[in-house]
């Protein structure tokens, strides 16, 4: 049975691992325009300009790449406790820890594939220092005049051994709703998009072609416009950042996209923020067939082969 929607308020922040910490910090601050807010050990704390919380992204130096953790903010302390109880009843392991990145008590668990998930409610609202004060009181920070200035962390796309098992956990335990999926001719669901909000997706699972577990396909950031994404492509070309595919428009979810590899090797998507809203409480999951996928993306671009071969951390 599905958990009630709304106990999880939104995707909050992620911790990304990188073997090239300095270069990754350069990419996220100078190309994407995030703002560094602090350092602790091997970790650098960064934020998008429109995040009301202190932290959007933690970059941690590590021997390899990948996603260490995705953090979801609950909508209240009661909602947090309800979801923790559901996690415990589901049999997934978990434990309470001190929060990181300005967050309060945090329950650490994982999805069936082993991706670590942090759940919390208490958080520290960001207060900009004088040099970053916004002109408008309804914006947490002035938009940086550097890089393209992404507004928010938009979604996480995991690779997983079993897409249905993991999206079922998101739906039945955390209260996500599926909006679109890919079904192969064999009947296997090879990709499924889920949301906690009226955004059409927040957390996505794609089948890991290697059959391994716990890996990342990409994380995505949303700037204000398609023009910002075109500007990002130019900045990447000028600065030697690898562009994997795009700019173009996805058929699934209709997202305008650009995929690049940040210097640590993780795939980063720039996605347009005009993502459709799903307001219908009885939205039927849209299923795409193999034949439909073979037609390519919305404007005909074929899905690039490396989309099915590159994930992080890389495997030997
Ligand atoms: Fe994406």
């Amino acid at each position: 049975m599905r958990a009630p929607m709304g106990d999880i308020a939104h995707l909050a922040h992620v911790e990304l691992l990188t073997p090239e910490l300095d270069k990754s910090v350069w990419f996220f601050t100078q190309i994407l325009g995030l703002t560094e807010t602090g350092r602790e050990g091997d970790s650098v704390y960064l934020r998008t300009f429109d995040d009301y919380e202190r932290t959007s992204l933690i970059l941690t130096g590590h021997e390899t790449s990948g996603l260490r953790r995705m953090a979801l903010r609950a909508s209240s302390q009661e909602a947090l406790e309800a979801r923790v109880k559901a996690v415990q009843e589901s049999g997934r392991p978990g434990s309470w820890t001190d929060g990181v990145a300005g967050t309060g008590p945090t329950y650490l668990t994982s999805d069936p594939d082993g991706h670590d998930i942090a759940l919390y409610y208490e958080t520290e609202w960001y207060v900009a220092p004088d040099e970053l004060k916004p002109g408008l009181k309804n914006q947490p920070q002035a938009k940086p005049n550097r890089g393209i200035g992404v507004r928010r962390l938009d979604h996480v796309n995991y690779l997983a051994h079993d897409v249905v098992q993991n999206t079922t956990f998101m739906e039945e335990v955390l209260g996500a709703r599926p909006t679109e999926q890919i079904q192969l001719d064999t009947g296997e669901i090879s990709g499924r998009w889920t949301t906690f909000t009226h955004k059409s997706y927040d957390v996505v699972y794609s089948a890991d072609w290697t059959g391994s577990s716990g890996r990342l396909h990409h994380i995505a950031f949303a700037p204000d416009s398609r023009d910002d994404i075109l500007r990002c492509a130019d900045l990447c070309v000028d600065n030697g950042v690898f562009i994997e595919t795009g700019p173009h428009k996805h058929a699934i979810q209709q997202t305008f996209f650009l995929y690049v590899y940040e210097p640590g090797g993780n795939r980063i998507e720039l996605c347009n923020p005009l993502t459709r809203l799903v307001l219908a409480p009885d939205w039927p999951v849209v299923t795409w067939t193999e034949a439909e996928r073979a037609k390519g993306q919305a404007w005909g671009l074929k899905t690039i082969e490396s989309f099915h071969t590159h994930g992080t951390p890389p495997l030997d």
Side-chain angles (χ1 to χ4, degrees):
M1 203 176 80
R2 280 178 178 172
M5 198 176 181
D7 277 359
I8 299 299
H10 61 83
L11 168 64
H13 63 263
V14 294
E15 181 175 356
L16 197 62
L17 303 176
T18 170
E20 297 282 355
L21 182 60
D22 291 345
K23 290 178 183 173
S24 293
V25 170
W26 167 84
F27 169 81
F28 283 102
T29 57
Q30 303 305 309
I31 303 293
L32 297 200
L34 274 73
T35 300
E36 182 179 329
T37 57
R39 295 190 177 218
E40 196 181 327
D42 288 333
S43 294
V44 180
Y45 293 75
L46 302 161
R47 52 175 283 101
T48 60
F49 78 88
D50 199 28
D51 194 343
Y52 71 91
E53 298 185 85
R54 199 174 81 190
T55 304
S56 319
L57 171 69
I58 306 167
L59 285 176
T60 297
H62 194 63
E63 60 192 18
T64 186
S65 51
L67 191 71
R68 171 163 285 168
R69 189 163 299 150
M70 168 179 77
L72 303 172
R73 188 176 181 214
S75 54
S76 67
Q77 189 61 32
E78 296 69 36
L80 173 61
E81 285 162 17
R83 285 317 100 214
V84 167
K85 184 162 178 281
V87 169
Q88 291 165 340
E89 287 171 356
S90 78
R92 293 301 306 160
S95 60
W96 286 98
T97 65
D98 294 335
V100 298
T103 64
T106 297
Y107 192 76
L108 276 185
T109 183
S110 57
D111 67 15
D113 211 63
H115 301 103
D116 282 358
I117 297 172
L119 306 172
Y120 67 93
Y121 170 64
E122 287 178 25
T123 194
E124 183 183 319
W125 282 60
Y126 179 70
V127 178
D130 284 347
E131 67 274 18
L132 295 175
K133 284 271 187 274
L136 299 174
K137 66 188 291 185
N138 56 5
Q139 184 171 304
Q141 170 193 334
K143 185 172 179 176
N145 187 22
R146 182 186 65 244
I148 61 167
V150 292
R151 182 173 286 272
R152 67 163 183 272
L153 172 66
D154 191 83
H155 62 269
V156 171
N157 193 141
Y158 287 123
L159 289 171
H161 180 69
D162 184 326
V163 169
V164 171
Q165 183 187 33
N166 285 280
T167 53
T168 298
F169 172 81
M170 284 289 155
E171 293 160 28
E172 294 187 351
V173 178
L174 298 182
R177 291 290 178 269
T179 53
E180 303 201 22
Q181 63 184 6
I182 299 170
Q183 186 166 35
L184 304 181
D185 293 345
T186 59
E188 181 196 347
I189 300 298
S190 66
R192 198 169 206 195
W193 283 251
T194 72
T195 185
F196 292 107
T197 64
H198 289 312
K199 283 171 69 239
S200 63
Y201 57 113
D202 296 315
V203 179
V204 185
Y205 284 89
S206 302
D208 193 322
W209 52 90
T210 65
S212 59
S213 296
R215 299 204 302 151
L216 174 70
H217 193 271
H218 66 269
I219 60 172
F221 291 87
D224 280 345
S225 71
R226 289 182 177 182
D227 280 349
D228 289 325
I229 295 178
L230 300 179
R231 171 69 180 140
C232 187
D234 285 337
L235 281 175
C236 287
V237 167
D238 282 342
N239 288 279
V241 175
F242 178 68
I243 294 177
E244 183 184 35
T245 185
H248 200 85
K249 177 178 167 175
H250 279 298
I252 297 176
Q253 304 287 1
Q254 300 184 25
T255 311
F256 191 80
F257 67 84
L258 169 71
Y259 291 91
V260 305
Y261 296 172
E262 58 87 21
N266 295 293
R267 180 187 285 107
I268 306 298
E269 179 185 12
L270 279 300
C271 67
N272 78 302
L274 305 175
T275 315
R276 297 137 58 235
L277 297 178
V278 172
L279 302 178
D282 50 357
W283 176 267
V285 181
V286 175
T287 299
W288 298 82
T289 65
E290 247 179 81
E292 288 165 337
R293 295 293 296 143
K295 292 177 186 169
Q297 302 297 342
W299 299 326
L301 181 74
K302 297 299 180 213
T303 301
I304 195 162
E305 183 58 26
S306 57
F307 236 54
H308 304 294
T309 58
H310 180 82
T312 51
L315 299 172
D316 291 334

